[in-house]
Amino acid sequence: MLNCDMGVSKSAAIGRSALDEERMAEIVDFTAKTLSSDRPVPFGASIVHTKTGKTLIRTVNAVARENDPSAHAELRAVRLACRKLKSTSLAGYTLYSTCEPCPMCMASALWARTDRVVYGATIADAGHHCLQIHISAKRVAARSDMACVVEGPVLRKRCYELFTHPNMLKAFSAWANRKPLGGSPN
C-alpha cells in the first residue's frame, strides 16, 4: 500500500492532526443532533476536501429509516458525494467517520478512491453495543489494490460518548430485542 504521508513535513502533519480533530468534532456535533430524535444513531460521516478542509457532505446512518441494511453513514456519504460531484471518484477527499468503517464501508471508500479515512470510535467500541464485523479498516485497506491512508482513532472518547448517551442506550436495547419479521420462528 502506498503511504501518502511520505515526504510530509512535521508541521504539515501537526496541521493535519488539528484539522482532523476539528472535522471530527463537526461530524460528532452533527451526529449528536440525532440523539434527541425518535431514531438516534451514533454513526455519522462526512466527506471533506483533503487540501482545503471544505466539507462536501455530512450524513448519518439511515438503516432503520430507509429499511436498508447498507444505509451506513459512510456508504451514504460516499454515494451522496459522488452524486454531487457527478463522478465515481473521490480522489482529493477524506472520509471522516464517528466510528471505524466496517468492511463494506471501507470498501466503498476504497472503490471511490478517497485519499484518507479518519475515524473516531473503534469497531471494538461499537461492538459493545451492536453487531459488528470485526475486521479493521486498516486491514481492509492493506488487502486492497487501491491506496488509502486510514488514521484513527481521533477524538475516540468524544465519539464513543455518542454510543453511551442515554437515548442511544435505549435504542440499542430496542435493537437487541427486536423480534424477527413475521413473528417468532417455529
Side-chain angles (χ1 to χ4, degrees):
M1 182 176 92
L2 174 66
N3 183 344
C4 298
D5 286 339
M6 291 172 20
V8 173
S9 70
K10 193 171 191 175
S11 63
I14 291 169
R16 184 179 349 200
S17 176
L19 180 63
D20 286 346
E21 288 188 7
E22 185 179 321
R23 294 296 170 258
M24 187 63 72
E26 288 173 2
I27 195 60
V28 168
D29 291 344
F30 178 80
T31 305
K33 292 176 184 174
T34 72
L35 298 175
S36 60
S37 74
D38 60 340
R39 291 196 181 185
V41 293
F43 304 102
S46 61
I47 303 286
V48 175
H49 193 275
T50 301
K51 288 185 179 174
T52 67
K54 184 177 179 200
T55 300
L56 178 67
I57 292 289
R58 289 185 305 196
T59 189
V60 295
N61 179 298
V63 169
R65 190 176 74 234
E66 295 178 4
N67 295 306
D68 178 356
S70 72
H72 291 200
E74 302 92 337
L75 202 92
R76 293 183 73 233
V78 167
R79 286 178 180 158
L80 292 168
C82 287
R83 192 172 301 139
K84 187 171 185 174
L85 294 172
K86 295 181 169 68
S87 174
T88 59
S89 176
L90 293 176
Y93 288 87
T94 297
L95 169 67
Y96 288 88
S97 178
T98 58
C99 187
E100 182 176 1
C102 73
M104 173 182 70
C105 293
M106 189 62 216
S108 177
L110 289 164
W111 285 116
R113 308 295 201 272
T114 55
D115 295 346
R116 301 170 60 234
V117 170
V118 180
Y119 65 87
T122 65
I123 289 173
D125 293 335
H128 292 296
H129 303 281
C130 55
L131 298 174
Q132 293 295 309
I133 298 172
H134 296 273
I135 302 171
S136 74
K138 288 180 182 176
R139 180 149 188 211
V140 174
R143 298 292 307 261
S144 166
D145 291 335
M146 289 77 76
C148 180
V149 175
V150 178
E151 297 180 283
V154 172
L155 299 184
R156 181 180 182 181
K157 183 176 184 242
R158 185 139 182 244
C159 290
Y160 188 66
E161 288 171 355
L162 295 167
F163 289 82
T164 59
H165 185 279
N167 290 345
M168 195 64 247
L169 292 174
K170 283 185 211 170
F172 282 136
S173 178
W175 294 357
N177 295 324
R178 184 176 293 158
K179 291 182 181 175
L181 293 176
S184 60
N186 290 328

